[in-house]
Amino acid sequence: MAAKALYNNHSVEEISRSDSGAINLSRTAEAIGNAIESAKLNGRKVICFVTGVPGSGKTLAGLNLATERSRLDQAEHAVFLSGNQPLVTVLREALARDLVDKGAKSGNAIRKTDARRKVETFIQNIHHFRDEALQSDEAPVERVVVFDESQRAWTREEQTRFMKEKRGMDSFDMSEPEFLLSAMDRHESWCAVVCLVGSGQEINRGEAGIAEWFRALAGPYKHWDVVCPDRTILSRDQESDDIEHLLDTVAAKTDSAVHLEVCIRSFRSESVAAFVRAVIEGDSDRAAELHSSLDHYPVVVTRTLDRAREWLRKRARGSERYGLVASSNALRLRPVGI
């Protein structure tokens, strides 16, 4: 729904349910837009890192940027990239159907295949973009690239292994961030990369984390301008202990506006993410303080699985469905079927 609204010229303020969330998203959109315009005006290359709490709208911010840049100048060929194929499929289908529906209502009918073809240039799988860049030494047609969940880009080892086994390229020797930067660096004048970062969400083998982007920038791409949130935000959830050194190496410009600190996934739930973090970190005083403001959120903590199940059953009304969500790393829960 959000993607369709943006594609139909609505703004993030109009489709965000949280007042403070809308303000936060607008500040972020403005900050990134200013960075891109500055790069465009001065013939520079810029990379922006957007971080945020879970549910703060990082993907929404990325979609907003891609659609906005396309409207401002179609020659920029802004593109939204994701390694999450189900997300790519859902977004493409939703936007294609919407184009067909709009065409039918306006009298300018468009075939579903044509609608899909148009949408596919706007939303792509990151691997498709990579393979296109491998086929030619020319600069990509895209000037603005938004990379969703960029912390999950592959390390040098994983990318090299994949390219050797799946593509037969024995000589390939770059991490995914390094290759993507090398592809965009082919532009003689300006270009922009926007990385949407889910801190601490590197969940599969070979996913590099944000530090890998800074390692690549600290190599042959020091001429790139870097915009990122405060270093304490970047380093908070990073396992890499050299993130501070890397930030100094690339001389990054910090901007608080590129950190989304308000959750918009649930209406007026700004304190929920902070409360969860306090619980996980064992900060009982902070957790108790935040919990007092969560009047409409029945949050409880237990270490007994049976009690959790009983609590859910008692609060289910009628035919309401309920369930459990657990971390993929919670190995001790597997023997009990979770």
Side-chain angles (χ1 to χ4, degrees), residues 87 147 154 165 170 172 193 215 221 240-241 253 296 327 337:
L87 174 65
F147 188 5
W154 285 342
E165 294 180 2
D170 294 339
F172 193 96
V193 174
R215 290 190 192 98
Y221 307 108
S240 172
D241 56 5
K253 173 188 174 184
H296 302 294
S327 167

Side-chain angles (χ1 to χ4, degrees), residues 115-307:
R116 284 175 174 158
R117 190 177 301 111
K118 182 178 180 179
V119 169
E120 285 173 2
T121 63
F122 171 66
I123 297 176
Q124 297 181 26
N125 188 293
I126 183 64
H127 304 309
H128 173 79
F129 180 85
R130 178 202 61 208
D131 291 346
E132 287 284 319
L134 283 168
Q135 293 175 14
S136 171
D137 292 331
E138 298 293 324
V141 66
E142 295 85 2
R143 289 276 184 176
V144 178
V145 170
V146 181
F147 188 5
D148 194 28
E149 294 187 342
S150 60
Q151 80 284 351
R152 300 182 67 177
W154 285 342
T155 61
R156 180 187 298 266
E157 293 74 20
E158 183 65 15
Q159 179 82 324
T160 300
R161 181 197 65 78
F162 177 87
M163 298 305 289
K164 181 178 181 179
E165 294 180 2
K166 305 297 183 180
R167 299 290 189 269
M169 299 181 64
D170 294 339
S171 61
F172 193 96
D173 188 29
M174 285 188 281
S175 67
E176 194 164 27
E178 187 177 358
F179 177 74
L180 291 174
L181 286 173
S182 72
M184 293 300 289
D185 199 56
R186 297 170 189 171
H187 286 289
E188 293 185 2
S189 58
W190 76 279
C191 67
V193 174
V194 179
C195 293
L196 310 179
V197 182
S199 299
Q201 295 177 21
E202 306 83 50
I203 60 176
N204 294 320
R205 182 187 69 176
E207 292 179 355
I210 193 174
E212 191 66 36
W213 288 91
F214 285 97
R215 290 190 192 98
L217 287 164
Y221 307 108
K222 290 182 180 178
H223 56 286
W224 280 61
D225 296 330
V226 180
V227 179
C228 63
D230 185 87
R231 63 180 59 212
T232 58
I233 294 173
L234 285 177
S235 61
R236 183 171 57 198
D237 297 320
Q238 300 301 314
E239 294 183 2
S240 172
D241 56 5
D242 61 349
I243 190 73
E244 292 279 347
H245 168 70
L246 290 169
L247 286 169
D248 290 332
T249 302
V250 300
K253 173 188 174 184
T254 59
D255 187 342
S256 61
V258 293
H259 177 65
L260 292 162
E261 59 187 8
V262 178
C263 178
I264 62 171
R265 191 169 288 161
S266 299
F267 184 47
R268 302 195 188 284
S269 62
E270 290 88 346
S271 299
V272 174
F275 167 75
V276 172
R277 176 176 290 277
V279 170
I280 293 174
E281 294 177 347
D283 188 346
S284 58
D285 292 337
R286 176 63 173 158
E289 176 188 350
L290 290 166
H291 186 264
S292 64
S293 66
L294 304 179
D295 297 336
H296 302 294
Y297 293 86
V299 180
V300 296
V301 177
T302 180
R303 291 188 177 276
T304 304
L305 184 59
D306 289 339
R307 290 189 65 185

Side-chain angles (χ1 to χ4, degrees), residues 3-10 71 98 102:
K4 289 167 65 176
L6 289 170
Y7 212 55
N8 284 303
N9 297 325
H10 292 284
R71 286 198 293 266
D98 195 51
K102 283 198 307 181

Side-chain angles (χ1 to χ4, degrees), residues 38-71:
S38 176
K40 189 175 182 178
L41 179 65
N42 298 298
R44 301 285 296 173
K45 297 178 174 68
V46 65
I47 182 169
C48 302
F49 293 92
V50 179
T51 60
V53 300
S56 59
K58 295 183 290 293
T59 298
L60 176 60
L63 286 168
N64 175 70
L65 174 68
T67 53
E68 183 66 23
R69 300 308 304 184
S70 296
R71 286 198 293 266

Side-chain angles (χ1 to χ4, degrees), residues 307-326:
R307 290 189 65 185
R309 285 173 165 155
E310 181 184 359
W311 188 88
L312 284 171
R313 293 190 186 103
K314 286 183 177 179
R315 279 155 182 78
R317 294 172 295 183
S319 60
E320 278 186 342
R321 301 184 64 183
Y322 53 87
L324 298 170
V325 178

